[in-house]
Amino acid sequence: MSGGWWCDGVRWPGQAPELGWSRGGDRRVSVLAYGAGIGFRVLGERHCVGARGNVCPLGAVVPGRSTGGRCAECARLDRAHSVAADTMADDPRTYRVYLAWFGPGMVKVGITGEERGAARLREQGAVVFSWLGRGPLMAARRTEEVLRAALGVPDRIAYARKRAVRGRLPGAEERAAEVAELYGRVARLEGGGGPESLERLPLEVVDQAELFGIDRTPAPVRSVRELVDGGVVSGRLVAAAGPDLHLAVDGVGVVVLDTRLITGWDLAAVPDVPVRAGAGPDAAASAKAGPEASASVKATPEASASVKATPDASGASGGEMRVPLIDIGGGGVQGGLF
C-alpha cells in the first residue's frame, strides 16, 4: 500500500453529495457540484478499508467487485457493531421509521437515528420518502417486522434494481401517491402498525428527484462493474443518488459509478476533463477535493494535476471510461477494458 489518500465514497450530510477521503487518522471531504468534471486513474491493488475507523490488521487484498470493500474479518466486526445487527437493545437514542420509494412497486421500510435527519434516505438514493413514527430502537425494529409480516414491505432493495428504473420514473404525483397509499395501509393496521411506545408521525411526502438531479438529466445507460489497476474513470457529474454518481461521457452516454467500488484503491489524477457549457463558476468553485483544492475536482486531496470544472465552449461532456462496464438492466458486460 502507498500510504496515500483513499476515497471513502459518497456521503450526504446536507443537500449536496460529498466525497470522503482518509489517510491514517486524517479525514477530509470534497463537496461535489453538478456540471463539474470528475476523474481519476486507479493504481495497484485494492485493500480492505478496515472497520469502525480501524485499519485492517491484515492489509488484506479485496475483490474489485466488492461493494463493501472489506475482508471477511473486518466485515464481521463492522456488522457486529451496527444498528442492523440488533446488538444495541439498550441504545438510548431516538429512532425514526420511514417508508422509502425507489421506483414503481419498490417501497421499503427502514429506520434511522433521529439526529441524522434525512441523511440516511439520501444515502440510499430514496427518490421519495415519508416518516412513519419515532421512538426507541426496539420499538422501531418491531415496526419494521410488523410491516414485513403483515404487508410484505421489504427492508432492503438492491442497488441494481434502483439503477434499472431510475432513468424512467413516473411523475411526481404518481410517486407521491404510492407512498401515501402504503402509509394509509400501515395506518389501518391494528395499533397503527407499531407498538404503543412508537409515536406516530403524520404523512409528509418528500420528493428528492430534484435534489439528486435525476429529473433533468438523460437516463443512465451503463454502470461501472469494477475498477482495475490502470483503469480510468472520468466525465461530467450530471446527477447523484445514494452512493451513485452519474457521469456524462462522450461516446458512451451517462455512466453510473457506484462509489462503494472506489474504497480501498489508490487514486491518481487524470488530465483535465472538459465539461458542458453552462456549468458556471459557482459549480466550479464548490467542486473541491479537500480544503486545499482550488476550483477543481482532484483525484486526491493533494494531487497537483486536477480535473477542472471549467465550462467548455464546445459543449462536450468529455471524459473517458477505461474500466469494465455493464449495461444497466441488461446484465451484459461491455467489452472489459476499452
Side-chain angles (χ1 to χ4, degrees):
M1 291 181 287
S2 70
W5 287 94
W6 284 3
C7 182
D8 297 328
V10 166
R11 60 194 66 174
W12 289 84
Q15 297 297 297
E18 300 178 358
L19 279 178
W21 300 92
S22 63
R23 183 177 63 182
D26 280 346
R27 297 289 187 272
R28 298 182 184 179
V29 297
S30 309
V31 179
L32 302 180
Y34 301 138
I38 291 179
F40 57 84
R41 183 184 304 278
V42 184
L43 303 175
E45 296 180 311
R46 188 186 189 193
H47 291 86
C48 174
V49 297
R52 320 306 291 182
N54 299 303
V55 175
C56 174
L58 303 175
V61 175
V62 295
R65 297 190 194 184
S66 167
T67 54
R70 293 183 173 90
C71 67
E73 290 299 321
C74 287
R76 278 194 287 270
L77 177 61
D78 188 69
R79 176 75 179 179
H81 291 84
S82 71
V83 172
D86 284 338
T87 58
M88 301 185 295
D90 58 347
D91 190 331
R93 294 175 295 176
T94 298
Y95 284 81
R96 287 201 173 203
V97 185
Y98 59 81
L99 294 175
W101 185 94
F102 301 93
M106 296 168 58
V107 186
K108 61 157 282 185
V109 60
I111 72 172
T112 185
E114 186 169 67
E115 75 279 1
R116 299 199 66 209
R120 179 63 178 151
L121 283 305
R122 296 189 288 269
E123 290 169 356
Q124 295 184 66
V127 181
V128 181
F129 74 90
S130 178
W131 301 114
L132 275 178
R134 61 187 297 273
L137 173 60
M138 299 316 290
R141 276 282 178 239
R142 176 60 179 162
T143 301
E144 276 191 314
E145 294 171 3
V146 169
L147 298 191
R148 284 200 301 268
L151 300 179
V153 183
D155 63 346
R156 295 176 184 272
I157 294 177
Y159 277 101
R161 293 187 60 202
K162 300 174 188 179
R163 293 185 194 110
V165 301
R166 196 177 289 155
R168 55 176 191 276
L169 297 176
E173 290 187 5
E174 186 175 340
R175 300 196 294 257
E178 191 166 349
V179 174
E181 190 274 336
L182 182 55
Y183 181 96
R185 291 171 60 199
V186 174
R188 290 191 291 272
L189 290 175
E190 184 177 355
E196 292 182 1
S197 55
L198 191 81
E199 175 190 348
R200 288 291 305 281
L201 294 174
L203 173 68
E204 185 177 349
V205 177
V206 179
D207 195 303
Q208 302 192 119
E210 182 177 358
L211 173 68
F212 293 153
I214 57 177
D215 60 340
R216 58 182 180 271
T217 58
V221 293
R222 296 182 179 89
S223 63
V224 174
R225 186 185 67 181
E226 62 182 311
L227 301 184
V228 294
D229 181 27
V232 173
V233 172
S234 67
R236 179 174 56 90
L237 181 66
V238 295
D244 293 346
L245 300 182
H246 293 207
L247 303 177
V249 182
D250 279 351
V252 181
V254 176
V255 177
V256 174
L257 170 64
D258 183 341
T259 56
R260 297 174 301 170
L261 297 174
I262 300 179
T263 59
W265 288 101
D266 279 330
L267 307 178
V270 296
D272 292 356
V273 179
V275 297
R276 187 175 302 280
D282 293 338
S286 62
K288 299 179 181 179
E292 298 115 358
S294 58
S296 59
V297 176
K298 298 183 177 182
T300 66
E302 295 178 341
S304 56
S306 60
V307 181
K308 298 180 180 178
T310 305
D312 179 68
S314 68
S317 298
E320 63 177 325
M321 287 284 165
R322 288 196 280 119
V323 292
L325 303 180
I326 188 170
D327 293 338
I328 290 181
V333 174
Q334 166 130 356
L337 288 174
F338 67 100

